[in-house]
Amino acid sequence: MTADAVHHLVRQPGPEGAALLWDSEEFTTEDLHDRSVRIAAALAGLAGRPVAVRVPPGPDRYAALLGVLRAGAHVVWFDTGAAGERARMILDDVRPAAVLTAGPPDALVAWYAGHTGTAPLDVTELPAAAAPDQEVRPDDWAYIAHTSGSTGRPKGVPQTHAALAQFGRWFADAFGLAPGVRVAQWVHPEHDPAICETFAALFSGATLCPVPPKIRAHPARLLDWLAETQVDVLQTVPSFARELARASDGRPQPVRRLVLMGEAISPDLVGALHAGSPDIELYNLYGPTETIAATWHRIPRGAAGPVPVGRAIPGREVLLLDDADREADEGEMVVRSPYVTPGYLRGGREGPAFRPVPGCGPGPWYRTGDRGRRRPDGLLEFRGRHDAQVKIQGHRIELAEVEAVLDGHSSVAECTVLAARNDDGLVTSLMAYVVSREEEPPQRQWRASVRQRFGDVRLPIRFRIVPGALPRTATGKVDGRRLTESRGEPVL
């Protein structure tokens, strides 16, 4: 059965627009198809196996995604920016059967080739070839995303063709994607919203407009590009949307629909965006990688108070459970859906996050670790995390992973990492409390170790030296309250 094979759902756009706009040149679905067939032919025999895509933006990147799926393999998507140790961990964890590049291999690809003997495949050098589509079932994997792991290593989260197809079609319908509509592809490839917005655009016949890497992180230049490219829909994180609002200098935002995800949204940001852009539509999209997303909400003008995460996306049910697994008006947000991940790459659905909910029917279930509150109008509000996982600048980070990096340095006797939040409740930086083995703590080396692990994810981290030992509670846990209340040594 191939009804939900993602690559079969890609539509030929109408006369109003192309499938892809890159470097002022338009590419049709047929252009992508022709390139993807060559790639699929080169991947013959790899059905059911992971294939890494590390191709720069442009038609070859999106043809590579289609080619992997056409071959019956599943995608592990990497950006082509600076790669840290985390990227190596992901490659070592997944062990892709092939790595697709465009041009000479970079340091990450060369490392993997030397590490495993897997030669990279340059998609720009492939001969013309025929490649019949590999049979794909709805429950076959389409991609593997990675989240920050509590053990200090990233966790692989696969999703199926059925899940990506259902979400992509919903996304296109919910946010008005159709022929003639232009959709920015802003999200980093390492994060699953990137593959979702990509295929939502391709499913709907809209025109996908990848944001050039040189302007992606520069708000003023991005605003100019969005206006020049006549983009209609942009998905980004609230912290960057705030930078766009500041850089607009009183001009309306150049997009019609702004989808905000990955972080809590403050009321003052909503007010600023609505005031500066009378015609803009704002949306809040919430959910973990394990379910792709869970809820959504169109943010009305003039609404006061906390911005809700809204109602369940079709195909998902969201319950609030107290500590005894009873439904409550406030509690942990737990998602029931056929689109819950098949399980982590290492461990499947054996962990407590997938534990069934007694008396609430069959699953699969996913326990998000997020707390929520149900308002009288039925809308859900996000109320923080149960554990030490945070969202910072749109990236989902386990504080334990940062701690693992620092603990691995020979100069660190022990450490703990806490999140600093602003008045809106958004995580703005990380504070590492470190007991150093050296009289002159090598904070530059610590910072370099964190950068090496996370690559392009620039974590704003500061260090405070704690003399002797970290304070602990009677149960032996690090006492975060005493750490934050004490002055300690100067912040570095």
Side-chain angles (χ1 to χ4, degrees), residues 256-466:
R256 291 188 292 155
R257 300 181 189 93
L258 186 59
V259 182
L260 301 175
M261 53 82 192
E263 298 169 343
I265 303 173
S266 66
D268 71 297
L269 172 59
V270 171
L273 290 168
H274 274 154
S277 306
D279 298 324
I280 199 170
E281 297 175 10
L282 300 180
Y283 297 89
N284 190 7
L285 186 58
Y286 157 82
T289 300
E290 287 82 354
T291 66
I292 303 184
T295 67
W296 76 301
H297 177 63
R298 180 173 177 177
I299 306 171
R301 294 180 179 276
V307 179
V309 295
R311 301 183 189 277
I313 291 168
R316 292 147 181 85
E317 178 186 10
V318 181
L319 301 182
L320 299 181
L321 301 180
D322 64 16
D323 291 340
D325 272 354
R326 297 171 300 203
E327 290 195 58
D329 291 332
E330 184 165 346
E332 182 180 9
M333 290 193 275
V334 181
V335 182
R336 176 166 61 178
S337 172
Y339 307 114
V340 169
T341 175
Y344 296 124
L345 191 61
R346 304 284 177 256
R349 286 184 182 157
E350 299 301 318
F354 301 100
R355 181 167 53 86
V357 178
C360 288
W365 297 89
Y366 181 70
R367 298 169 181 262
T368 67
D370 293 334
R371 294 192 63 82
R373 181 179 80 89
R374 194 177 302 277
R375 306 189 331 181
D377 60 5
L379 297 178
L380 292 169
E381 288 181 357
F382 174 77
R383 307 288 283 182
R385 288 288 303 173
H386 270 302
D387 53 23
Q389 188 182 84
V390 299
K391 283 286 186 69
I392 184 165
Q393 297 181 355
H395 300 285
R396 182 174 163 186
I397 299 295
E398 288 275 3
L399 299 184
E401 184 172 0
V402 185
E403 291 171 355
V405 173
L406 295 173
D407 279 332
H409 198 280
S410 60
S411 66
V412 175
E414 60 175 341
C415 73
T416 192
V417 178
L418 303 179
R421 300 177 184 270
N422 62 15
D423 293 340
D424 298 329
L426 298 178
V427 176
T428 57
S429 64
L430 303 180
M431 179 71 76
Y433 296 86
V434 182
V435 177
S436 177
R437 301 182 191 275
E438 300 182 9
E439 292 186 6
E440 296 185 5
Q443 67 269 20
R444 290 186 178 179
Q445 294 181 25
W446 298 341
R447 195 180 303 277
S449 295
V450 173
R451 286 176 178 167
Q452 182 181 10
R453 168 65 65 90
F454 292 95
D456 274 348
V457 182
R458 300 300 186 190
L459 297 184
I461 186 168
R462 297 179 292 166
F463 302 95
R464 188 183 292 276
I465 305 304
V466 179

